[in-house]
Amino acid sequence: MKRDIFEDMRVKVGCMYISDLSSLEKQVEKELLNFSLEQYSKEQIYEFCEYVFGKNNSIYKSLKDKSNK
C-alpha cells in the first residue's frame, strides 16, 4: 500500500492540519528534499508540490532530477 505524502509531511513538520502545509513552505521544502520518495506515486508527489508550492514547480523538478540520479 502506498503512503500518503500529505499526511506524512503533516506529521513530519508538526502541524495539525494538511491545510497548514502551504504556510510552512520553507520547512516543507527542506523536509521534502530529504524524504524517501520511493513510497509515493509520481502523481501524488506532483499534486503535493502543486498544493504546497502553487504554480512554482521548481521543487517538483528538483525532486524529479534527484530521483533520476
Side-chain angles (χ1 to χ4, degrees):
M1 183 169 128
K2 294 280 184 186
R3 299 186 57 126
D4 182 354
I5 193 169
F6 289 88
E7 184 62 25
D8 289 349
M9 185 59 74
R10 181 195 67 77
V11 170
K12 184 74 173 171
V13 299
C15 60
M16 188 171 277
Y17 304 104
I18 289 172
S19 60
D20 294 337
L21 291 172
S22 59
S23 66
L24 299 170
E25 222 176 276
K26 292 294 182 193
Q27 188 177 354
V28 169
E29 179 181 354
K30 180 181 174 190
E31 294 295 341
L32 190 59
L33 293 172
N34 294 313
F35 248 43
S36 176
L37 299 173
E38 300 82 36
Q39 51 198 337
Y40 309 107
S41 71
K42 289 180 182 182
E43 293 82 14
Q44 189 179 70
I45 295 168
Y46 181 79
E47 288 173 9
F48 178 82
C49 288
E50 190 172 69
Y51 180 80
V52 174
F53 306 108
K55 298 296 180 189
N56 178 1
N57 63 0
S58 62
I59 301 301
Y60 180 73
K61 286 180 182 178
S62 295
L63 294 171
K64 195 172 168 186
D65 291 344
K66 176 184 158 190
S67 68
N68 288 333
K69 291 182 179 179

